[in-house]
Amino acid sequence: MTAWRAYGGRGAVGVWLVGARGPVATTAIAGAAALGAGLVRPTGCVTARREFASLDLPRFDDLVFGGHDDTGTGLLEGAERLAEEGVMPPGLPRLVREGLLAAEKEIRPGAPGTGGARCQEETVRALTEDLLSFRRRHGLARVVVVDLSSPGPAVPRHPAHASLSELRRALTAGEDVLPAGSLYACAALRADCSYVGFTPSAGLRLPALRELAAERGLPYAGGAGRTGQALLRSVLEPVFGLRALTVRSWSASCPADGENGNEGESENGSEDGSGREGGDRVTFEGFLGAQVSLEFAWRSREPVLAAPLVLDLARLMALADRAGVRGPVPELAFFFEDPVLDGPAADRRSPGEQYAALVAWAHGLRVPV
């Protein structure tokens, strides 16, 4: 067993990534290893800002990685390709080779696609056992599951989505009623792991799974990660409102974050890592009804902006779990375009207001020594 530094006297923190060989996951794993070794600066990591310096967050080298993925390309090979594409510095994969290989050993096959030989109850049991054995092997005090998989096709509403009792009845009867993302969320809860959905999938948005989270007493968060265009839009939209300018249209020439930025994915979320290039065009009404337009180009590689947020969310969720936080964590809305909240209302706060709420919440947690 690997010797890991104890976090808060209660063991290391497991980070289980769904879509573990995708570019975002690969960049997060390599980045954590590089940060833990002091090879790079924590650029893009919100939790590395001075406002969080006094908190007892798990260190980057406290994080033990594993995950689900069915693709054949290993983490080391994937990291080398990302280095060639400019996502990470040349030579970095070689320097963090040990960390990548250690995580590679902890990757297991994910949930099969539609028409698989196993029913969903059997699938959830297998996914749950993967998490439990991961925890046992490394003596982990807690595990955070972060879903980076592709949203997948929509699943029609089913009565089993409405209540935990109905969901249990349906799964026990061998019915397949859950979207793919919800299979991983259900397994996470059964294994007593906190959960973060980083893509716009059903995840824990189903009432039945929220009920399960309440029953197990676990924190969760999610929604499409706020990277790229979503980040810029979240900043610009409030400015238009403050200037009393009426936005008439907002169009994008490339997919919004989390929608179609994972070309080349497997069912379990492994992306091809290619950069995205496009632009936005905003038209708004100015003084005396004058029509004004704003156009700008956006060029990005998703892992560069998403990977540090994955590390942030894993660290903050581990802290929340340790502090006994239960249910949805609205204070993590800063990281999401469409955050999971406790109720149907949307979060209308500006990013600045959300950040202030995040800092205040983190400092207000009562963490046992």
Side-chain angles (χ1 to χ4, degrees):
M1 182 182 297
T2 305
W4 301 94
R5 189 181 78 91
Y7 166 49
R10 298 196 175 189
V13 173
V15 182
W16 189 268
L17 304 174
V18 182
R21 295 192 183 103
V24 173
T26 302
T27 305
I29 295 168
L35 288 165
L39 300 175
V40 295
R41 298 174 58 192
T43 304
C45 290
V46 174
T47 52
R49 289 173 58 89
R50 60 180 176 81
E51 290 90 346
F52 299 90
S54 64
L55 299 176
D56 190 18
L57 292 165
R59 300 189 322 191
F60 293 108
D61 56 359
D62 286 328
L63 306 178
V64 185
F65 290 93
H68 283 119
D69 205 311
D70 285 331
T71 58
T73 302
L75 286 174
L76 181 58
E77 181 183 347
E80 289 171 343
R81 185 177 67 239
L82 290 171
E84 292 173 358
E85 296 173 356
V87 172
M88 59 183 73
L92 183 65
R94 176 179 55 82
L95 296 176
V96 298
R97 183 176 185 273
E98 183 179 345
L100 290 168
L101 294 179
E104 179 66 37
K105 291 179 181 178
E106 294 295 342
I107 297 178
R108 301 292 182 266
T114 56
R118 297 185 301 191
C119 68
Q120 287 192 338
E121 174 60 26
E122 293 172 331
T123 296
V124 172
R125 287 181 183 176
L127 299 176
T128 302
E129 180 53 35
D130 289 339
L131 290 163
L132 292 174
S133 59
F134 173 63
R135 186 196 296 266
R136 289 193 298 265
R137 277 194 302 278
H138 295 283
L140 301 171
R142 51 191 45 84
V143 176
V144 181
V145 174
V146 184
D147 191 348
L148 301 172
S149 64
S150 173
V155 173
R157 287 188 178 183
H158 191 281
H161 298 170
S163 73
L164 183 56
S165 60
E166 283 299 307
L167 177 61
R168 283 174 170 154
R169 183 205 60 75
L171 292 177
T172 301
E175 298 180 39
D176 291 350
V177 297
L178 290 175
S182 295
L183 293 175
Y184 293 106
C186 186
L189 298 177
R190 287 190 183 182
D192 290 321
C193 302
S194 53
Y195 173 86
V196 177
F198 200 75
T199 57
S201 63
L204 270 174
R205 293 184 185 272
L206 302 184
L209 292 183
R210 288 182 176 228
E211 192 177 338
L212 178 59
E215 179 181 279
R216 308 293 291 197
L218 293 164
Y220 59 89
R226 185 183 279 167
T227 62
Q229 287 173 296
L231 174 64
L232 193 58
R233 184 166 183 162
S234 71
V235 174
L236 286 178
E237 280 188 332
V239 172
F240 288 122
L242 292 173
R243 284 294 308 273
L245 300 170
T246 303
V247 175
R248 294 302 183 189
S249 66
W250 196 312
S251 58
S253 59
C254 73
D257 304 314
E259 288 183 4
N260 196 29
N262 299 339
E263 294 90 347
E265 287 196 352
S266 71
E267 292 171 350
N268 296 294
S270 295
E271 310 159 40
D272 66 4
S274 58
R276 291 190 294 157
E277 186 170 332
D280 281 48
R281 186 172 191 272
V282 187
T283 61
F284 55 95
E285 184 178 312
F287 190 51
L288 303 179
Q291 297 301 301
V292 186
S293 65
L294 169 67
E295 297 185 32
F296 52 89
W298 180 262
R299 297 178 180 85
S300 71
R301 294 182 182 274
E302 187 73 1
V304 175
L305 296 174
L309 300 189
V310 171
L311 299 179
D312 285 329
L313 286 162
R315 299 177 80 199
L316 288 166
M317 189 60 80
L319 185 68
D321 190 17
R322 188 175 158 210
V325 174
R326 301 294 179 257
V329 187
E331 293 83 2
L332 295 180
F334 173 75
F335 295 98
F336 301 106
E337 181 181 1
D338 180 26
V340 174
L341 303 173
D342 191 6
D347 191 324
R348 301 298 184 188
R349 295 174 298 176
S350 70
E353 292 169 330
Q354 290 176 335
Y355 181 76
L358 171 66
V359 172
W361 166 80
H363 280 275
L365 293 175
R366 303 187 61 162
V367 181
V369 177

